[in-house]
Amino acid sequence: MKWIERQRAFMDYTLSSLWRRKLRNLALLMVYTLVIFLLSSVIFFTDALRKEAAAVLEAGPEMIVQRTVGGRHSLIPVAYAERIERIRGASSVRPRLWGYYYHQASRTNYTILVPETFSGPDDTVQTGGGVLRTWGALWDGRMYFRTHDGNSLFLLPTSAMSDGADLVTADLILMSEPTFRKISGVPEGHATDLVVRVRNERERPTVAEKIVRELPDTRPILREEIARTYAAIFDWRAGYVVVLLGSAVLAFFIFAWDKATGLSAEEKTEIGILKGIGWDTSDVLMMKFWEGAVVSVSAFALGAITGYVHVYFASASLFEHALKGWSILYPKFTLRPQVSAYQLAVLFFLTVVPYTLLTVVPTWKVAVTDPDAVMRR
Amino acid sequence: MIINPAIIALVGGSLLITAFALYALATALRILRHWDIRSGSEGQLALERKTYLISTIFAYLLGFELFSLFLFVFTAEHMHGLFVGAMCAAGSLGVNDYGYPTLILKTVTFMFCGVWVIVNHTDNRCSDYPLIRPKYRLLILLTVLMGLGTFLQTGYFAGLRADVITSCCGTLFSGDTESIAAGIAGLPAGATRIAFYLTVILTLRVGIHVLVTGRGAGAFGLLAGMTTVVSLIALISFIAPYYYELPTHHCPFCLLQEDYNYIGYPLYLSLFTAGVTGAGTGVLGLLKGPPSLEAVIPSLQRRLCLFSMAGFAIFTLMATWPMVFGDFVLGS
C-alpha cells in the first residue's frame, strides 16, 4: 500500500510538472504521435489487406491449372479436363472463362467472368459495386461493349452484386458463356484455365504432381500457394515502408534525445531544489520514468487511434498506392476494422522501446546533478 | 530473409538492447577497476553515481527482454502461413536451426536478468555496496547472453525463406518423432502429473519453512528452478492437452492465441515470476557479506519467497482448473 501511495505522489508531481511546461511538451508529444500514426497506419493497413486477401481466397478454388506456351499463360483446351478427371483424387474439373475488358470511355479495365451458373439471358450482365459508377453513359439503359472482332454489343445490366467488403467484386462483370466468347474471342473448346477440386487437403500436392506428369505443358497452382504469396507480399511491402519511414523515425529519436539532454535552466534549478529538499537520485529517476511513461502512453494512444481512423475510415489515403500496389482505378472500398494485440505490440516495440532506452542516459545525467552546483548558478 | 515490421522491430530492438548492455558493461568494468568505497574522492563519487545508470538500464532491459520473448513467439505464430506445413509458431520456429535455440536463450536471458535485478536491488539497499564486485561480474555473462541472443535471432530471421517445408506442430509435438519436444509430449501423462504435483507441493512446503524459520533458502531456490523446468515439461505433456481438449495437441504456443482466451499469458507469466523470484531467493541465500547485507537479506528473501510461492500456486491452480471443471478427461 505504501508503495502505491508513493507512486501516486510521484505521478501527481509529474503530471503537474508536465502541465507547467505544456507548450514545450506539446511539441514532443505531437512529433511522437505523428511517428506512431505513420507506423500504425502501415501496420493496420497491410494486416487488413492480408486478411482481406485471405478471406477472398478462402472461397476460391483449391487448385487452378493453367496452360503455358513459351513460358506464358495461354488458353487451355477443354479436353484437358477429361484427362485430369481420370486422376484419382481429383473430384471434379471445371473449365473457367474469365478475362479483362478495357472500356475506352472510362479508360478502365474490368474483369469479365462466366460464373458456374449464370441465370439471366445472354444479353444481360451482372455488375459489381464499382462498375456502373465508373462506366459512364448508358445507351438506353444498356452497356456498350466492343467485341473482339470490332462489332458492338449492348448488354443490359441487371442486378448488381452485393457491395460487401470484397475487393474482388468491385470491378467484376458476370455474363453468359456465349456473350463472353463473343467479347473476348476465346474460341470454342478452349477456356482460360481449369478449376480442379481435390477433397483431401493432403492429396493436393500429389494430384498437382500427377497433372504435370500427365500434361507437361500445364502449371497447377494451389490455393495455399497463392495465399502464401499474398501474405509474403503484404509483409514485405509493410517492411519496406517501415524501412523507408526509418529515417523519419530516426530523426524523431534524435529530436527526443536532444530534448532530454538540453534541459532549460529552470528545469535544472527545479531538480536541484528537489534534491536540496531531500529527494534521492532514485526518486528523480522514478519521477522521470513516470514522465516518460505519461508522454509515451499518450502519444501511443493518440497515434494508434488516429492511425486506426486513417486506415478504416479514410481508406489509408496516404499509403494506399504504395501498399495496395494494384490498379489505381480500383473503386473505393472499406476494410473491416480490426486491431490485434500483435499489431500493437509490434508498434510498441518499434517506437516506445527505443524512445525509452535513448532517453535513459540524458535522464540519468539530470538525476545525478548536484543540488548546490545548480542552485549556486 | 523475410522483412516485416515485427522482424524489423525485433532485430532493431535486440541490437539496441545489446548496445545498451555493452555500454552498461563497459561502465561497470570501469567501476570495478577504480572502485574504492573508503575513498571520498571526486572520482569515487562519480563512480557511485554511475551505478544508478547501470541499475536503470538493466531494469528497463529486464522488461524489454520479457516483452521481446513474447513478441518473438507472436511473430513466429504470425509467419506460419508463409511456410508449407507450419500450422503455428512451433512449425515456424523449426524452419531453420536457429529458431528453438533463440527461444531457449531468450528465456534463459530473461531469467538471469531477473536474478541480476534482484541482486542489484539487494545491493542498493545497503549503504556500502557489498555486492558490487559479484554483481558487475555477473553482468559480463548477461551481456554475452544478450549478444548471443541477438546473433541467433538475426540468424533465424536471415535464414528464413518462405515455402521451406517444415513439420507442423502436429508432427513436431506428436509422439512418434525423435526430437526432444516429442519426447516430452510422449511422456506418460500420469507419471508427469505426479511429478509435477509432487515438486510443487515440495516447493511450497520448503517455502513455508523459509517463511517461518528464515532458513533453507538455498534449497528453496534449487527446488524453484527444478519446479519451473518440470512445470514446462508438464505444460507440454498434459496441461496443454487439457486446455485444447485434444489428447494429441501438445503445442506450448497455441495457448497464447485468442482461440484459447490467451490463457498462455497468465500461465507463463506466473511461472516465470515464480521461477525468477524463487531463484532470487536461493541466490540471496548464498550471498555472504558484511553486517549491512545480513540486515537486509532476510526480509527481502521472505518477500521473494512469498512471491515465488504465489506464482507457483497460481500456475498450479490454472493448470488444475480444466482438469477439475472441464468435460475432457485425459487417460494416462
Side-chain angles (χ1 to χ4, degrees), chain A residues 228 235 289 342 349 364 370, chain B residues 4 6 49 60 81-82 163:
Chain A
R228 228 178 0 251
D235 257 17
F289 162 77
Y342 171 68
F349 217 73
W364 167 79
D370 261 340
Chain B
N4 73 24
R49 282 186 188 144
Y60 280 125
L82 300 178
D163 288 350

Side-chain angles (χ1 to χ4, degrees), chain A residues 42-43 46-47 50 224 227-228 231-232 235-240 242-243 257 280-282 285 288-289 341-342 344-346 348-350 352-354 356-358 360-361 364 368-370, chain B residues 2-14 16-17 20 23 45-46 49-54 56-57 60-61 64 67-68 71 74-75 78-79 81-85 162-163 262:
Chain A
V42 175
I43 292 172
T46 42
D47 249 32
R50 202 178 126 119
E224 289 82 46
R228 228 178 0 251
D235 257 17
W236 178 83
R237 285 217 177 104
Y240 274 94
V242 169
V243 169
W257 168 287
D280 198 357
T281 303
S282 49
L285 281 171
K288 284 281 170 191
F289 162 77
Y342 171 68
L344 294 179
V346 170
F348 183 87
F349 217 73
L350 272 176
V352 177
V353 168
T356 312
L357 277 179
L358 285 174
V360 163
V361 178
W364 167 79
V368 294
T369 33
D370 261 340
Chain B
I2 292 177
I3 282 191
N4 73 24
I7 294 177
I8 295 173
L10 276 169
V11 172
S14 293
L16 205 62
I17 285 175
F20 269 84
Y23 172 73
L45 226 60
R49 282 186 188 144
K50 290 245 173 191
T51 60
Y52 281 102
L53 178 62
I54 298 176
T56 316
I57 288 179
Y60 280 125
L61 291 193
F64 295 156
F67 195 79
S68 95
L71 186 61
F74 231 148
T75 306
H78 174 83
M79 287 188 311
L82 300 178
F83 311 109
V84 175
D163 288 350
Y262 301 109

Side-chain angles (χ1 to χ4, degrees), chain A residues 35-50:
Chain A
V35 165
I36 292 175
F37 161 76
L38 288 175
L39 291 173
S40 67
S41 298
V42 175
I43 292 172
F44 290 161
F45 192 50
T46 42
D47 249 32
L49 284 181
R50 202 178 126 119

Side-chain angles (χ1 to χ4, degrees), chain B residues 86-153:
Chain B
M87 280 159 69
C88 69
S92 311
L93 288 175
V95 171
N96 63 36
D97 293 343
Y98 290 98
Y100 280 100
T102 308
L103 182 72
I104 293 167
L105 200 68
K106 268 180 178 292
T107 317
V108 171
T109 311
F110 166 73
M111 294 280 181
F112 266 98
C113 211
V115 172
W116 190 86
V117 168
I118 289 171
V119 172
N120 183 47
H121 179 73
T122 316
D123 189 39
N124 288 348
R125 296 279 295 269
C126 313
S127 52
D128 53 352
Y129 300 94
L131 299 173
I132 193 119
R133 282 177 201 281
K135 82 173 180 190
Y136 284 165
R137 283 203 196 104
L138 191 62
L139 271 194
I140 301 176
L141 174 71
L142 208 51
T143 311
V144 168
L145 281 179
M146 283 182 181
L148 198 62
T150 307
F151 171 75
L152 287 181
Q153 180 181 267

Side-chain angles (χ1 to χ4, degrees), chain A residues 100-219:
Chain A
Y100 297 115
Y101 177 75
Y102 181 69
H103 185 50
Q104 286 191 336
S106 67
R107 297 188 185 179
T108 310
N109 254 319
Y110 297 93
T111 307
I112 53 177
L113 173 81
V114 179
E116 212 166 339
T117 49
F118 184 76
S119 46
D122 280 355
D123 64 340
T124 59
V125 288
Q126 284 179 10
T127 56
V131 175
L132 286 182
R133 188 153 43 82
T134 51
W135 190 267
L138 294 184
W139 189 283
D140 199 15
R142 284 168 180 262
M143 296 161 81
Y144 165 80
F145 282 88
R146 205 178 123 98
T147 60
H148 74 282
D149 47 10
N151 297 323
S152 46
L153 194 63
F154 292 94
L155 300 174
L156 185 70
T158 54
S159 56
M161 278 166 276
S162 64
D163 214 345
D166 273 354
L167 273 170
V168 268
T169 60
D171 74 333
L172 192 63
I173 304 174
L174 299 182
M175 54 186 66
S176 69
E177 191 183 327
T179 316
F180 178 85
R181 291 202 191 274
K182 249 185 258 170
I183 293 175
S184 65
V186 175
E188 285 288 341
H190 282 80
T192 316
D193 47 28
L194 301 177
V195 171
V196 183
R197 293 227 169 252
V198 182
R199 213 156 279 146
N200 187 346
E201 198 182 324
R202 293 188 187 179
E203 270 184 8
R204 280 176 208 155
T206 321
V207 172
E209 213 182 297
K210 282 185 180 165
I211 291 174
V212 177
R213 216 179 304 145
E214 178 82 8
L215 305 160
D217 60 343
T218 58
R219 176 175 66 176

